[in-house]
Amino acid sequence: LASWLPVVGLEIHAQISSNSKLFSGSQVQFAAPPNSLVSFFDASLPGTLPVLNRRCVEAAVMTGLALNCSINKKSLFDRKHYFYADLPAGYQITQQRVPIAVNGSLSYSLCIDNKMSQMVTKTVRIKQIQLEQDSGKSLHDDARSQTLVDLNRAGVGLMEVVMEPDMCCGEEAAAAVRELQLILQTLGSSQAIMAEGQLRVDANVSVHHPGEPYGVRTEVKNINSIRFLAKAVDYEIQRQIEELENGGTILNETRAFDSRLGCTVSMRDKEGKQDYRFMPEPNLPPLILYDAKSLRANMNHQQVVNIDWIRERLPDLPSVKRAKLVELYGILPEHSFTLLNEDGLAEYFENVVKHTQMKPKKVIGWILNELLSFLKERALEVKDSPVSSFLLADLLNLLERKEISSSAAKQVFKELWKGEGKTPLEIVKEKQLELLQDQEELEQICQAVIDRQEDEVGAGMLG
Amino acid sequence: EQVPAAVLEHLERLALVDFRDAEGVRRLREAVRFAERLHDVDTEGLEPMDSVLEDRCLYLREDDVTEGNCTKELLKNAREKIEEYFVAPPGNIPLPKLEERETFEQQS
């Protein structure tokens, strides 16, 4: 059997974290009364015009810089036409010809063989990042044969990030998206919560034999979590391989992932291939960005987006944060991944280290083994932990000063978890878990035990 | 020249316009001929201009909430509504095939 090379590319839509929409002043908010966050422009009423939101431009530039892209100092807006009830204008304003950022890269890490101890770094090329409008939401009521439309989401700013087909399986796709999610959250350009639709991923999948041209690709949609992304991609790869090995062909089509059945199903429309009739958006001039060199003294600052200014203020990206944690605290690289993977865990760890004499290399064990497993068992986030970093630091100090044993410390931790407001010291006294420190006292006890035993032996011998 | 029937049907489907009768099709042909005059201009080595606004400043708005909250007004335009949702048919209704429609072909 000849081997198959799967090829996976991704199109990711990230909702921009902003107060108002991309081209209008209505609010961006998840879960509001239907059609309450809709302006006349969003509803496409005649006589309305798009006005670009500065914050959305800055978010796209930040993201482009973080992904090592070239920022296009001049980018253009276009109309992409199609008819659907949740797209009142009949077109979406996007950037098809010249997007705001191009030619970047994203590095991500994978565990080999599911062992955290062996990590490998991979890179995926970023083709481009473009600004575009989100559509409204359609609620399908099949029973009454109708669709209910809520335009609250219509017009919300999106960054579409296109990843080249450099990935080869579900695991790689999931790891790349996870790293992108962390980067977006660190930048603040998007909260990227998949469950709230702030991060949507479509996968392009094909397979071919080594040395042969790429095969026909399918597009997989309706993927609602990172875990399902890996499943959907792997399923589609398998499906295509089986189809081709059975002598079938792959159609260039769109398929939806069914999370319940764990498979992809054809979404083929009777209307056939879409022609979006792209045209320049006539109401928007080109978007011009500046840098330190092109800036002129007489420019209105409110009207200027300065790429260099934004670059100087970029926060430490996850990869930099991890490297710093490893260097500063002497922990392993895989530890740094876990610390950054849980919201607030790195800060918790650093605070414990700050308040304890215990070495960071020992503290990390308590964080990753005790704390994290307790949190996971109860499906809690770090911020909801009943044991604060200060309490844990106190406990670890007792252990470090040898006032209690390691097993006693674990018992105390379990008690602390009940969140009854007791300090570690109080629990130790209550349960009499103190280790005896006094040498003389220890000798006396040992002697007493030996004496008691001798009496028993004597009694036994006499009896 | 004639605009091929297949192209006409394609355009009608894409843009949801109805050329209705021979006069409509004639007007389309005139429009295409008018636009084709652009080919007479020598644009060798020139950057295309796609908007007369190309040298205007694209105004950037501050990220403040200034609109919305007009559900009642917006829904006034809706033929059908259910609890503040617009009501639409379930998905796009496909345009009937050329043979099934009364169009220019049948009327000319």
Side-chain angles (χ1 to χ4, degrees), chain A residues 148, chain B residues 71-72 74-88:
Chain A
L148 303 181
Chain B
T71 317
K72 246 173 119 185
L74 291 173
L75 287 174
K76 271 196 210 155
N77 287 326
R79 194 182 66 171
E80 255 190 87
K81 50 182 167 270
I82 291 178
E83 273 181 45
E84 299 181 329
Y85 286 94
F86 294 98
V87 179

Side-chain angles (χ1 to χ4, degrees), chain A residues 46-47 54 95 113 119 143 156 166 193 219 225 250 286 328 356 359 396 445 455 459 461:
Chain A
R54 191 207 151 83
Q95 293 188 302
D113 299 334
M119 305 202 84
V156 171
D166 297 340
I193 302 173
E219 186 186 19
S225 74
I250 305 300
L328 205 53
T356 181
K359 285 206 160 44
L396 296 181
I445 294 177
D455 283 347
M461 278 170 74

Side-chain angles (χ1 to χ4, degrees), chain B residues 27 46 54 94:
Chain B
R27 214 172 292 154
L46 289 177
E54 67 173 14

